[in-house]
Amino acid sequence: MKNRKRNRMKGFDYSSNNLYFVTNCVKDNVCCLGRVIIVGTGRVGTVRVGTGRDLSVQDSQNQDSQNQDFEINHVVELNQFGLLVEERINWLMSQYAYVDIHNYVIMPNHFHLILEIDSQKVKDKEIKIKSLSSLMGALKTTTSKLIHEAGFQEFEWHRSFHDHIIRNEFSYLNIFNYISNNPERWDDDVFFKKV
């Protein structure tokens, strides 16, 4: 067996009370969980415009006033498989009382989340705290099973996942904002694949 790079920090207890930033990808970065679309909001309400439409205003007299009232955002429109992933992320918190998800985003071919393990939530109960790897294993296994049952038999997650131990508020805020703004940066994302 060839030497593999260690995925987790040597000697660290990944079942300890901590905040973890996790990224997990679909195998081969297949975009199968949804798509990023452009949504414009303004005086007339919300308008879903897709990714290829020109939003420029043709009437030059009203252009300045309309631009002040109109905002363009990128959002993820999850398909049935992405919705299953979302349901399973929320399931983690109900299944494991010591788990809290602070923020997450499901992109077309990966997800990011901030997961907290807090044993104080179950201090009066005799519960073995699962490690981050075990929790991600449960998430990946159950989503794969549901996605296969929904008809996508070839679906697979990438073999492992990336994690980062969040050690301070500055790092937490940067990661929280990165997750929240991920759809806006989809075209520049390292996982971006044109669909």
Side-chain angles (χ1 to χ4, degrees), residues 124-140:
D124 298 334
K125 300 175 184 167
E126 295 233 0
I127 295 177
K128 181 180 182 330
I129 306 295
K130 290 189 179 291
S131 69
L132 182 63
S133 290
S134 294
L135 294 167
M136 287 300 99
L139 175 64
K140 290 166 68 169

Side-chain angles (χ1 to χ4, degrees), residues 3 5 11 27 30 35-36 48 59 80-81 90 96 99 130 135 141 150 164 167-168 173 182 190:
N3 290 336
K5 180 182 167 203
K27 187 173 181 182
V30 174
R35 63 188 181 136
V36 175
R48 291 181 179 266
D59 181 359
Q80 65 177 346
F81 308 125
N90 290 308
Y96 305 103
V99 169
K130 290 189 179 291
L135 294 167
T141 300
H164 171 79
R167 299 184 186 274
N168 58 51
L173 292 173
N182 209 245
V190 296

Side-chain angles (χ1 to χ4, degrees), residues 107 114 194:
M107 298 298 289
I114 296 175
K194 200 159 190 87

